[in-house]
């Protein structure tokens, strides 16, 4: 398969990562060039050996450029995507796809009219911690999962510049939130029934510095998704409960464990423990025979890496791994999260 000739638009934190990662991945696409509005970034790209375009028009008018990878602040995604699609280029766009579902509708309609691929870079579907939890969800090793808690906690506030500003699509819902919500919807793959959410403005920014969302799916699964930037002590990255056990992944290093029930708890044999100023049987540890500890399963992605899939969508009309309707569902969920936080109401879908 001929490599897809891609131009990376925006050579900041993520764009420069893409440019280097695309080369390292050797997966169906190559960096044909780079374009940033900031001359300093262009100079940096040139010093790393990338061909640098002087203007966006030069990128879009170049007959050999087949696709662009948009890695600019969130509020510029729609304008750049539309310009690229209208110039006949395929698009891989950073998350969040757009600032609203309405913006996305317009982009998808142009992509479909022009028969071009528009894909969103939901790269965290390939994260090992997520793949392990997805494996548990699918294999039911600890029974059906009925409660899934996904969190990222940091203590550095909101980093960077535009991420503090509403007009640029700042805030944590549109940043980490997009990843965690995408993982949850991709894994559970069942319509959402409702969401209730609360946003944090503890740092005094005009955008949220964290949030908690409580999701209920039509198959009965409950999920908590939380992002925090003032958490000097972190809660685990994942905490999941199945009908036959509990699993935890503490951090990116994949430390964690599974505790599985081996048989029924013999309630009559439970010995009360001292707990604070009282006794409890309910919270006493289960007997050793009642549980067993298992290692976390392997992290396996049973689907192509995102660049390879993007290239196959263009060359071989493969099914996209990140589908347009999934991206639309994330944006609609995000809109519901903002609405729920504003009205303090549960939003039903
Ligand atoms: P950044 O500020 O580091 O870089 C953005 C770059 O875009 C800057 O160099 C800026 O000069 C350039 N730029 C701005 N407007 C432009 C335009 N109209 N044309 C060309 N260049 C333009 O930001 P970042 O952290 O790299 O984030 C960029 C995008 O990547 C955001 O949408 C963000 O959500 C996403 N992102 C994704 C991940 C991920 O894991 N998928 C991680 C980080 C960031």
């Amino acid at each position: 398969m001929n490599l897809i000739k891609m131009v990376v638009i925006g050579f900041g934190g993520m764009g420069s990562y893409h440019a280097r990662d695309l080369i390292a991945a050797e997966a169906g696409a190559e960096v044909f060039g780079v374009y940033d509005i900031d001359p300093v970034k262009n100079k940096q790209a040139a010093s790393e050996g990338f061909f640098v375009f002087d203007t966006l028009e030069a990128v879009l008018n170049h007959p050999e450029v087949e696709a662009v990878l948009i890695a600019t602040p969130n509020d510029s995604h729609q304008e750049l995507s539309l310009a690229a699609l209208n110039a006949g280029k395929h698009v891989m766009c950073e998350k969040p796809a757009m600032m609203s579902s309405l913006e996305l509708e317009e982009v998808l309609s142009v992509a479909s009219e022009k028969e071009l691929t528009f894909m969103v870079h939901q790269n965290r579907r390939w994260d090992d911690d997520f793949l392990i939890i997805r494996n548990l969800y699918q294999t039911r090793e600890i029974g059906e999962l009925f409660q899934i808690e996904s969190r990222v906690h940091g203590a550095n506030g909101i980093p960077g510049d535009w991420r503090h500003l509403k007009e640029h699509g700042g805030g944590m819902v549109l940043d980490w939130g997009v990843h965690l919500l995408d993982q949850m919807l991709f894994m559970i793959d069942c319509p959402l029934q409702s969401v209730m959410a609360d946003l944090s403005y503890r740092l005094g920014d005009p955008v949220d510095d964290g949030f908690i969302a409580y999701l209920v799916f039509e198959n009965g699964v409950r999920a908590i998704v939380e992002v925090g930037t003032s958490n000097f002590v972190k809660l685990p990255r994942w905490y999941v409960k199945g009908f036959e056990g509990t699993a935890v992944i503490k951090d990116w290093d994949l430390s964690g464990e599974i505790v599985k029930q081996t048989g029924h708890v013999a309630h009559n044999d439970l010995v009360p423990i001292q707990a604070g100023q009282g006794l409890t049987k309910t919270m006493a540890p289960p007997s050793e025979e009642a549980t067993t500890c298992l290692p976390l399963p392997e992290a396996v992605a049973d689907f192509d890496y995102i660049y390879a899939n993007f290239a196959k969508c263009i060359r071989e009309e493969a099914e996209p791994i990140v589908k347009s309707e999934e991206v639309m569902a994330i944006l609609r969920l995000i809109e519901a999260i903002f609405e729920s936080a504003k009205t303090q109401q549960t939003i039903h879908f």
Side-chain angles (χ1 to χ4, degrees):
M1 187 169 76
N2 290 339
L3 296 179
I4 306 290
K5 293 184 167 59
M6 283 180 100
V7 171
V8 176
I9 300 182
F11 196 73
M14 199 56 197
S16 58
Y17 177 88
H18 274 296
R20 296 167 200 137
D21 196 40
L22 261 165
I23 295 169
E26 294 180 349
E30 64 176 322
V31 185
F32 189 73
V34 164
Y35 165 67
D36 197 294
I37 41 164
D38 180 351
V40 175
K41 299 290 169 55
N42 283 335
K43 216 168 149 193
Q44 172 65 29
S47 76
E48 292 185 32
F50 293 109
F51 176 79
V52 173
F53 285 86
D54 290 335
T55 61
L56 179 63
E57 290 64 40
V59 176
L60 301 184
N61 290 332
H62 198 296
E64 281 187 66
V65 174
E66 295 179 87
V68 297
L69 199 164
I70 299 171
T72 56
N74 300 341
D75 60 317
S76 55
H77 291 180
Q78 197 210 26
E79 193 182 334
L80 290 167
S81 297
L82 287 175
L85 291 167
N86 280 317
K89 313 298 182 194
H90 301 279
V91 174
M92 183 181 285
C93 184
E94 261 307 339
K95 45 56 62 176
M98 300 288 143
M99 300 276 278
S100 70
S101 55
L102 215 64
E103 280 193 3
L104 181 64
E105 262 174 36
E106 195 182 341
V107 169
L108 293 180
S109 129
V110 175
S112 139
E113 185 190 309
K114 303 265 178 192
E115 298 185 356
L116 292 164
T117 298
F118 173 83
M119 189 184 282
V120 179
H121 184 245
Q122 293 296 163
N123 51 322
R124 294 200 174 276
R125 291 186 184 188
W126 286 264
D127 281 7
D128 284 349
D129 57 280
F130 167 65
L131 291 170
I132 288 170
I133 297 298
R134 184 169 176 268
N135 176 310
L136 283 179
Y137 186 82
Q138 290 180 332
T139 60
R140 302 181 180 191
E141 193 176 346
I142 52 170
E144 261 180 64
L145 299 188
F146 61 90
Q147 184 176 323
I148 304 177
E149 301 184 15
S150 166
R151 294 186 171 83
V152 288
H153 281 169
N156 300 318
I158 303 175
D161 40 19
W162 60 265
R163 280 181 171 79
H164 291 267
L165 301 171
K166 213 177 167 73
E167 58 273 27
H168 288 306
M172 282 298 126
V173 172
L174 290 175
D175 196 67
W176 264 100
V178 180
H179 286 304
L180 303 194
L181 296 167
D182 176 65
Q183 288 178 336
M184 204 60 89
L185 298 197
F186 180 58
M187 169 165 61
I188 297 174
D189 195 21
C190 165
L192 259 176
Q193 204 168 48
S194 66
V195 63
M196 194 174 73
D198 199 19
L199 305 184
S200 155
Y201 291 92
R202 203 197 71 82
L203 303 173
D205 285 291
V207 294
D208 69 282
D209 51 57
F211 71 96
I212 299 181
Y214 185 67
L215 315 178
V216 178
F217 290 83
E218 280 183 8
N219 61 3
V221 174
R222 266 72 175 149
I224 294 173
V225 174
E226 184 185 353
V227 175
T229 54
S230 315
N231 301 65
F232 292 89
V233 178
K234 293 175 173 193
L235 285 174
R237 172 73 188 84
W238 293 94
Y239 177 81
V240 302
K241 293 201 290 188
F243 282 100
E244 294 161 25
T246 306
V248 64
I249 298 181
K250 291 181 190 151
D251 218 329
W252 311 111
D253 64 1
L254 307 183
S255 55
E257 62 180 330
I258 297 178
V259 177
K260 188 171 177 176
Q261 198 172 22
T262 52
H264 288 293
V265 179
H267 288 108
N268 292 338
D269 299 340
L270 282 172
V271 180
I273 56 161
Q274 178 82 33
Q277 295 303 309
L279 288 179
T280 177
K281 264 190 185 184
T282 319
M283 300 306 162
S287 69
E288 271 185 28
E289 310 82 66
T291 58
T292 180
C293 287
L294 303 175
L296 293 170
E298 289 277 294
V300 180
D302 51 1
F303 40 85
D304 276 335
Y305 192 50
I306 194 155
Y307 302 134
N309 176 246
F310 181 69
K312 284 186 189 167
C313 289
I314 295 170
R315 291 278 188 263
E316 301 167 8
E317 296 186 8
E319 271 279 290
I321 286 163
V322 181
K323 298 182 177 48
S324 300
E325 58 270 26
E326 295 170 344
V327 176
M328 184 60 89
I330 300 167
L331 287 179
R332 294 215 165 109
L333 172 55
I334 284 174
E335 286 164 353
I337 284 174
F338 285 126
E339 180 64 16
S340 171
K342 195 168 113 191
T343 59
Q344 293 288 292
Q345 301 288 318
T346 299
I347 308 295
H348 297 271
F349 292 93

